Amino acid sequence: MAEEKMTANVPADAEEGRVFVVESNRRDEMIKLVLLIILIVIFPPAAVAVHANECNMHVFISLILVFFFMIPSYIHAIWYCFFRKPTQMTIS
């Protein structure tokens, strides 16, 4: 009797050992989003500073809100990180 080679219904790409990778830009955006959410929960001014990439007026506003009013600090951080539209800088 001849031995028959048994193969599973596997796509040709998987047989060659190819790996499917998520695009790095999309992955980086997902990591940044998760990081911002974690920072907002732990310490909102840190999330604002990471999103701004600088220590600007909004970081100080967020710090003041943390020390005096916790819930408005969360609202400010969520607004700054997710809903605020960046300002347009024009040089004339």
Side-chain angles (χ1 to χ4, degrees):
M1 292 185 133
E3 293 182 22
E4 295 181 20
K5 184 177 181 182
M6 297 187 67
T7 58
N9 293 332
V10 180
D13 292 344
E15 288 179 9
E16 295 176 14
R18 293 184 184 167
V19 178
F20 298 99
V21 179
V22 179
E23 291 181 27
S24 63
N25 291 338
R26 185 174 174 197
R27 184 189 66 216
D28 293 345
E29 291 297 321
M30 294 280 292
I31 290 171
K32 184 177 180 181
L33 178 70
V34 170
L35 174 69
L36 283 175
I37 291 171
I38 291 170
L39 284 175
I40 286 173
V41 170
I42 295 172
F43 191 60
V48 173
V50 166
H51 185 73
N53 287 332
E54 63 182 356
C55 188
N56 60 10
M57 174 187 67
H58 289 283
V59 176
F60 292 117
I61 290 171
S62 190
L63 276 171
I64 291 169
L65 288 172
V66 160
F67 290 129
F68 295 111
F69 318 102
M70 197 63 184
I71 293 176
S73 174
Y74 286 119
I75 293 170
H76 178 260
I78 291 170
W79 168 77
Y80 188 82
C81 293
F82 299 116
F83 296 110
R84 179 180 161 267
K85 292 183 181 177
T87 57
Q88 296 286 331
M89 300 288 269
T90 56
I91 300 173
S92 54

